[in-house]
Amino acid sequence: MAFIATDSGAVVGEDGLARPLWASVDPLLREYYDTEWGLPVTDEHGLYERICLEGFQAGLSWATILRKRPAFRAAFAGFNPDAVALFTDNDVERLMQDPGIVRNRLKVRSAITNARATLALRQEGGLVEFVWQFKPAATPSPAVHSDIPTQSPESAALSKALRKKGFSFVGPTTMFALMEAIGMVDTHLLDSHRRGSSGVWPGPSA
């Protein structure tokens, strides 16, 4: 039986590891938290996928997107930006009939637009270099969940810069969620077993 660690609101599971509440009950979210969330994503393919999925998540729960991720990958050619950039209106209609994904026309078109923008950025050093230049000088150190911000000056700047390059569904809050997910900031609670695990930021005792 898990119990609430009252100092931070984290949940300590049967394995003795502390996690935030959102990652403590659903096995899929727990696995994602333990093995993926907050670890650096430094390849174009992976970063394009994360940007698309964060955009699809807007207004929905991340658990919904995570459960649909296999279907998203099948529908969007494994999130290969070279392939998605060639999608046509017929592909949009095909995707709008796919019950495995989020069938939002604006978001579907955004994934295609963002693929084309990703290809264009190759002329300027690439998507990875472009996004990671907005890594802040410091990361939050949340003792409790309410200490975790939902956006930052850097996420706002990243949002603005990506929009100028033709990306969509990249608002400041969405981009902060991206920064959390790919390790650009470390918003693990200080007593979480994942704090400092990205190798980008030091742990709480460093």
Side-chain angles (χ1 to χ4, degrees):
M1 181 68 67
F3 62 90
I4 299 294
T6 56
D7 56 341
S8 70
V11 175
V12 178
E14 292 178 345
D15 55 7
L17 300 177
R19 301 175 180 87
L21 184 60
W22 68 264
S24 299
V25 180
D26 186 315
L28 184 65
L29 287 175
R30 184 168 61 246
E31 175 72 11
Y32 173 69
Y33 180 80
D34 284 350
T35 65
E36 188 174 351
W37 190 72
L39 293 179
V41 176
T42 56
D43 65 289
E44 179 192 75
H45 187 157
L47 191 51
Y48 164 68
E49 176 180 350
R50 290 302 189 90
I51 288 173
C52 289
L53 292 179
E54 292 291 352
F56 273 106
Q57 188 271 334
L60 302 171
S61 73
W62 180 245
T64 295
I65 300 303
L66 199 57
R67 289 190 180 91
K68 290 178 176 288
R69 183 163 64 170
F72 272 115
R73 287 174 170 171
F76 285 93
F79 285 105
N80 178 341
D82 292 278
V84 179
L86 298 176
F87 279 16
T88 66
D89 287 344
N90 287 337
D91 290 295
V92 173
E93 296 309 315
R94 168 181 62 83
L95 293 164
M96 289 300 297
Q97 301 303 314
D98 188 340
I101 68 169
V102 175
R103 291 180 285 184
N104 178 300
R105 190 175 297 272
L106 290 177
K107 292 179 179 181
V108 167
R109 289 193 175 278
S110 174
I112 299 169
T113 298
N114 290 351
R116 295 169 182 167
T118 295
L119 268 55
L121 271 179
R122 291 175 181 172
Q123 307 302 315
E124 304 176 41
L127 179 64
V128 173
E129 179 179 315
F130 188 85
V131 168
W132 276 86
Q133 70 179 313
F134 291 92
K135 175 179 170 289
T139 191
S141 298
V144 295
H145 187 267
S146 60
D147 291 339
I148 301 173
T150 57
Q151 58 179 275
S152 67
E154 292 81 11
S155 76
L158 173 58
S159 170
K160 182 177 180 180
L162 284 172
R163 288 180 187 278
K164 284 185 177 180
K165 296 300 181 181
F167 288 79
S168 59
F169 281 93
V170 289
T173 300
T174 299
M175 288 302 93
F176 190 78
L178 175 77
M179 292 168 70
E180 291 179 289
I182 68 171
M184 283 179 66
V185 293
D186 186 346
T187 57
H188 292 290
L189 296 174
L190 291 178
D191 63 357
S192 167
H193 81 97
R194 290 292 318 286
R195 182 72 187 180
S197 61
S198 69
V200 177
W201 302 99
S205 61

